[in-house]
Amino acid sequence: KDYENEFSKLVYIKTNYKSHNKKKKELAKKYYKEIFGYETIDIKEVEERLKKLSRRIKNFIQPVVIRRNRLDLRNNPIYSKEVKDLPKVEDPIEVLYGLNKKQSEFYDKVITKYFGEKGEFTGAIYVPYKYKEGFREQEEEKEDFIAISQENLRNFMKRLLVKRFESSFGAFKQSIENFLKVYEKAKKFIERTGFYILDRKLLDLSQEMNDDELLEELIKRLESLGNLENQLKDISKDFYVYDLMEFEEKEKFLKDIDKDIELFKKILQEMEKLKLLEEDPKAEALIKYIEETLNKKENPKRKIIIFSEYKDTVKYLKEKLKKFRVLTVEGHISHNLIKTIKKNFDASLDKEDWEDDYDILLATDRISEGFNLARAGVVINYDIPWNPVRVIQRLGRINRIGQKVFNNLYIVNFFPTEKGEEHTRQKEIAQNKLLLIHNSIGEDAKIFSPDEEPTASELYRRLTTNPDEMEEESFLTKVIREFQEIKEKDPEVIKQIENLPYRVKVSKQGDNDELIVLIRKNHNLFIGYKDYSENEPKVVSFEDIYEKIKANKDEKPLEKSDKFWSAYQEIKDYETKKNHRKVNQKDYERQAINTLETLREKITDQDLIEVIENLKKAISDYGIIPTYTLKAISELDTNDIEQCK
């Protein structure tokens, strides 16, 4: 609870210290003073505190959580012997697809002029509250739930269109057509009834559903408007019902609906004129890359997985890739489809069960988790996976531990540029277009922290970084690896450690005037830390003091400080106070173990014997059995074996 409370406050400070809302800004200051002791906010201190807090949480859960990435498997001497050979993930390949001048101009218009921060799209039907209450430019940021929810829904829809445009011209066209249908139905409903309704559930669903699901649900719900005309008085529980006669800005609301309808029609006309679906440079670049990959003579044959975030893009590409052997996953995954995927792409099957009916798997992220597809050696991200986790999940389908098929694995990302430009200029254009997209979809692009200002080149660099380099070696792996090095280079040091007395006190040169005390009890390790410039000692993790206690083999010990003994006793007293457990707990532990040992002698059932041994370990080694359970075990009648079972 302490961790959660502090974390929530630090995140609130980070998010709201520059807010235009005075209340939020003042609360951020209040939290900052509460945590740091003064009012002037230094965001670097907040960042540092968050890092320390995350380390504390990690250390707290480390005894019961195992987290190992591929870096650990390579560097940890114990794992590396077992896992042995892992494929190498190559740096992502950037495929720059060239737009002609008119296509490039259209691209920029969609992202800035049409759906940018101050673009033409009003999203009127998603924010009726604004028109009811009237526009107040100088008004402070609203805290009203309805207002915030409606603003979020409108922003979500705007981002959705930009993301689909980046995904494919096919998905974007389908989305514009869907939006046009929704708007026209809403307009007809208003003309017939004088009312406008907004589904309450949509406001919640926009937080829960993925983009495809939400758009489908939105269309379905707004298409049912016609059935609600005669029930307007009875539907307020499920819908926000707006009487346009009560709107301060009725004419503007109607005008903005018309404005959006005209915008959608204009976009569709432009797409038709530019023949974007027939002459799609991105799809052409994909086809060219596929042909080059499949024509390489490799043994085994390298198959390809193409990922898109959207069903509409998958459907669109399915038509474009007809000449290849493509297996498509766009919606529900049936049992038969799973079998087909496994037989054609799963390397874990026995080789006699392998089939070769498909070279390409074209899919949404429905298969980005839980599927083994190691017979494919290439993952193509047809639309940009802004979230680094998504990159790793997609790559994880072909990067399988213990199922190496290829020595090298490839990731391919597509970036827009402009035809007829030299290579450096091409990259610059691609970077700038990425920045346009990022700025349009805002925090939905989970790459930068809220207070960080992205640049075109940095955004491009992060999206073209090898996912393996996003990982970092775990602290435990680092310790084991360095300990293993000592064992191999200086085995006599290990012998010296084994012969050390139970209590050792030593001083060495350090950066600070400080004292570290390590106390081991069974498998538990208490680490007390005292900075002599501070009043109180504190408990720290082994990771916090690891670099401090490291020393060269030939380093000579120093004389102990004259402050040592008083600080040493202070930490010992602190340990007793912080980690004191009631005598009853210890008594119950001893009694429970005695009862279990007595039972162990009387029972022959191997499963029960294993349960007893595990329980004893949980009590004596880890101390994780609660007192009421210990009491119940200690009170068992060992003469009644059935009752004990």
Side-chain angles (χ1 to χ4, degrees):
K1 284 182 181 177
D2 288 345
Y3 290 154
E4 185 180 11
N5 183 43
E6 186 177 341
F7 180 79
S8 299
K9 287 177 179 177
L10 288 167
V11 170
Y12 191 90
I13 296 165
K14 188 177 169 183
T15 308
N16 296 294
Y17 79 108
K18 285 183 177 178
S19 175
H20 298 299
N21 185 314
K22 284 182 185 174
K23 285 183 184 175
K24 289 183 178 180
K25 201 170 183 178
E26 287 303 315
L27 187 55
K29 274 188 180 179
K30 181 188 167 192
Y31 285 156
Y32 188 86
K33 188 174 182 183
E34 191 181 303
I35 295 170
F36 295 96
Y38 48 94
E39 285 184 357
T40 307
I41 294 176
D42 181 348
I43 202 65
K44 286 182 181 174
E45 280 202 344
V46 175
E47 293 279 5
E48 193 53 42
R49 188 77 167 226
L50 275 166
K51 284 177 189 171
K52 284 182 180 175
L53 184 61
S54 67
R55 282 201 300 271
R56 278 162 55 200
I57 294 169
K58 187 171 71 177
N59 289 321
F60 182 75
I61 65 172
Q62 199 171 40
V64 291
V65 172
I66 297 171
R67 179 189 178 275
R68 301 287 177 267
N69 57 45
R70 281 167 173 74
L71 208 56
D72 293 318
L73 298 181
R74 282 199 298 267
N75 295 348
N76 185 314
I78 299 166
Y79 291 136
S80 59
K81 286 176 189 171
E82 185 181 334
V83 174
K84 293 178 183 170
D85 209 6
L86 288 169
K88 184 189 176 190
V89 177
E90 299 293 341
D91 289 342
I93 297 164
E94 304 121 47
V95 174
L96 298 170
Y97 61 93
L99 304 163
N100 64 37
K101 193 158 186 63
K102 286 187 177 179
Q103 289 171 336
S104 186
E105 285 170 2
F106 177 70
Y107 198 103
D108 291 350
K109 269 198 293 187
V110 167
I111 293 168
T112 54
K113 188 180 175 186
Y114 298 158
F115 301 107
E117 191 179 347
K118 294 179 180 177
E120 293 177 19
F121 176 67
T122 70
I125 67 170
Y126 307 114
V127 284
Y129 89 92
K130 274 199 163 192
Y131 300 87
K132 182 182 178 184
E133 296 178 10
F135 287 69
R136 297 170 179 82
E137 294 297 334
Q138 303 304 315
E139 187 180 29
E140 274 190 4
E141 196 177 318
K142 280 200 159 283
E143 302 240 12
D144 176 68
F145 170 77
I146 295 172
I148 291 169
S149 300
Q150 290 186 14
E151 290 287 357
N152 286 344
L153 183 61
R154 180 181 63 170
N155 291 336
F156 181 91
M157 292 303 175
K158 192 193 288 186
R159 290 197 304 268
L160 177 70
L161 286 167
V162 173
K163 286 169 75 180
R164 282 179 168 247
F165 180 67
E166 186 277 321
S167 177
S168 71
F169 293 146
F172 181 63
K173 182 174 183 282
Q174 186 62 57
S175 298
I176 293 295
E177 287 172 349
N178 289 339
F179 272 60
L180 182 57
K181 271 187 213 169
V182 166
Y183 263 77
E184 286 177 337
K185 283 183 181 295
K187 184 182 176 183
K188 282 178 186 172
F189 183 80
I190 292 166
E191 288 169 350
R192 284 197 308 267
T193 65
F195 287 85
Y196 175 67
I197 63 171
L198 183 65
D199 197 324
R200 287 175 185 265
K201 286 186 180 176
L202 275 180
L203 304 180
D204 297 326
L205 292 174
S206 65
Q207 306 301 315
E208 297 167 12
M209 289 182 160
N210 68 34
D211 296 354
D212 275 334
E213 291 168 338
L214 179 61
L215 201 53
E216 285 172 15
E217 190 67 22
L218 173 71
I219 292 160
K220 189 169 72 180
R221 286 172 179 274
L222 284 169
E223 281 181 343
S224 67
L225 279 177
N227 302 323
L228 300 170
E229 282 184 51
N230 301 319
Q231 309 168 39
L232 286 174
K233 290 180 182 177
D234 305 320
I235 62 171
S236 56
K237 285 183 182 177
D238 299 315
F239 296 86
Y240 292 109
V241 180
Y242 291 93
D243 182 346
L244 264 67
M245 296 304 292
E246 297 174 358
F247 276 27
E248 281 189 33
E249 300 278 0
K250 176 187 171 184
E251 293 308 315
K252 184 168 175 53
F253 182 58
L254 296 172
K255 190 177 174 183
D256 282 352
I257 289 175
D258 284 337
K259 192 177 169 187
D260 282 349
I261 288 172
E262 289 310 308
L263 174 63
F264 299 144
K265 287 179 179 177
K266 181 170 73 172
I267 288 170
L268 291 171
Q269 286 167 4
E270 285 186 77
M271 291 188 78
E272 187 70 31
K273 190 177 176 183
L274 291 168
K275 296 183 178 179
L276 287 180
L277 270 63
E278 294 82 7
E279 300 169 11
D280 182 346
K282 187 175 183 182
E284 287 166 10
L286 173 67
I287 290 166
K288 185 182 175 188
Y289 182 83
I290 290 170
E291 286 173 341
E292 287 171 357
T293 302
L294 295 181
N295 286 336
K296 287 176 185 172
K297 302 300 179 189
E298 289 185 279
N299 190 19
K301 182 167 65 176
R302 192 180 293 271
K303 300 191 176 204
I304 297 168
I305 303 175
I306 304 170
F307 276 112
S308 171
E309 199 172 345
Y310 302 110
K311 267 197 301 187
D312 288 333
T313 295
V314 169
K315 286 178 183 174
Y316 172 68
L317 288 178
K318 184 179 179 181
E319 291 300 309
K320 293 281 184 185
L321 302 178
K322 270 184 176 177
K323 67 176 180 177
F324 301 107
R325 301 194 304 163
V326 181
L327 179 62
T328 306
V329 180
E330 51 189 79
H332 172 68
I333 306 176
S334 67
H335 182 66
N336 284 337
L337 182 55
I338 290 171
K339 276 171 67 177
T340 305
I341 293 169
K342 284 187 172 182
K343 285 182 177 181
N344 283 272
F345 294 92
D346 190 342
S348 69
L349 295 184
D350 292 334
K351 285 204 173 180
E352 56 264 29
D353 295 325
W354 286 18
E355 291 180 358
D356 189 26
D357 300 322
Y358 300 97
D359 299 316
I360 299 167
L361 181 61
L362 171 62
T364 64
D365 283 301
R366 280 181 177 273
I367 63 157
S368 68
E369 292 182 71
F371 280 85
N372 178 338
L373 308 171
R375 284 175 66 190
V378 181
V379 164
I380 295 177
N381 295 311
Y382 193 70
D383 40 41
I384 298 167
W386 295 99
N387 188 337
V389 174
R390 183 65 54 79
V391 180
I392 293 162
Q393 284 172 341
R394 289 177 175 183
L395 178 63
R397 299 312 95 223
I398 65 171
N399 193 6
R400 312 298 292 179
I401 295 163
Q403 291 166 26
K404 181 180 171 186
V405 178
F406 304 99
N407 290 324
N408 306 86
L409 302 177
Y410 301 101
I411 309 160
V412 181
N413 296 319
F414 282 73
F415 300 105
T417 183
E418 195 171 304
K419 284 179 184 172
E421 298 289 343
E422 57 171 305
H423 184 65
T424 51
R425 176 80 179 126
Q426 279 188 334
K427 284 214 170 185
E428 183 189 326
I429 291 167
Q431 290 167 6
N432 288 331
K433 288 198 187 299
L434 283 182
L435 189 59
L436 283 177
I437 296 166
H438 181 280
N439 289 338
S440 296
I441 65 178
E443 286 182 23
D444 206 47
K446 299 169 185 174
I447 292 179
F448 295 88
S449 60
D451 56 301
E452 188 179 354
E453 205 56 49
T455 63
S457 57
E458 177 62 11
L459 178 58
Y460 193 83
R461 187 192 68 77
R462 293 204 190 188
L463 285 171
T464 54
T465 297
N466 192 321
D468 273 6
E469 290 172 19
M470 295 180 195
E471 297 280 14
E472 59 179 27
E473 182 182 67
S474 73
F475 172 65
L476 183 60
T477 294
K478 178 184 175 182
V479 174
I480 290 172
R481 180 169 47 75
E482 293 186 0
F483 181 65
Q484 191 71 22
E485 285 170 10
I486 294 170
K487 280 174 77 174
E488 289 170 5
K489 290 177 184 174
D490 297 301
E492 70 279 4
V493 171
I494 306 301
K495 288 179 185 174
Q496 288 173 356
I497 292 170
E498 288 169 354
N499 294 321
L500 284 173
Y502 285 111
R503 289 182 179 82
V504 178
K505 299 174 183 67
V506 67
S507 296
K508 69 178 281 282
Q509 189 67 46
D511 295 328
N512 300 317
D513 204 6
E514 58 198 351
L515 175 67
I516 298 163
V517 178
L518 295 88
I519 302 172
R520 196 186 84 175
K521 288 186 178 177
N522 296 323
H523 289 268
N524 297 318
L525 181 66
F526 167 85
I527 304 174
Y529 174 83
K530 169 76 176 178
D531 184 326
Y532 288 117
S533 65
E534 296 175 359
N535 294 327
E536 284 280 318
K538 59 185 177 184
V539 179
V540 295
S541 71
F542 188 53
E543 188 171 357
D544 291 329
I545 57 103
Y546 182 67
E547 294 297 331
K548 293 176 183 286
I549 63 173
K550 282 163 76 171
N552 294 323
K553 182 184 173 184
D554 302 322
E555 193 171 336
K556 301 294 182 189
L558 304 176
E559 289 294 321
K560 283 183 276 296
S561 159
D562 40 349
K563 295 179 274 188
F564 169 81
W565 286 106
S566 60
Y568 174 63
Q569 190 58 48
E570 196 179 346
I571 290 177
K572 282 184 70 180
D573 292 343
Y574 187 77
E575 187 270 340
T576 305
K577 183 173 71 178
K578 293 291 280 185
N579 294 290
H580 177 69
R581 296 167 75 195
K582 292 180 181 177
V583 176
N584 283 351
Q585 174 82 357
K586 282 289 180 194
D587 287 345
Y588 283 133
E589 283 181 1
R590 278 193 291 270
Q591 289 169 21
I593 286 173
N594 290 339
T595 302
L596 290 170
E597 285 176 347
T598 304
L599 273 174
R600 169 71 181 79
E601 292 170 7
K602 295 183 177 184
I603 286 174
T604 55
D605 185 321
Q606 285 302 313
D607 288 339
L608 285 175
I609 289 170
E610 190 176 342
V611 170
I612 288 169
E613 291 302 325
N614 285 336
L615 267 173
K616 283 167 61 181
K617 202 167 190 176
I619 295 166
S620 60
D621 291 356
Y622 304 115
I624 59 174
I625 305 298
T627 305
Y628 69 88
T629 306
L630 294 170
K631 188 178 178 185
I633 293 170
S634 63
E635 290 174 354
L636 288 172
D637 181 357
T638 54
N639 293 316
D640 187 345
I641 301 298
E642 286 306 311
Q643 182 251 342
C644 290
K645 287 181 182 179

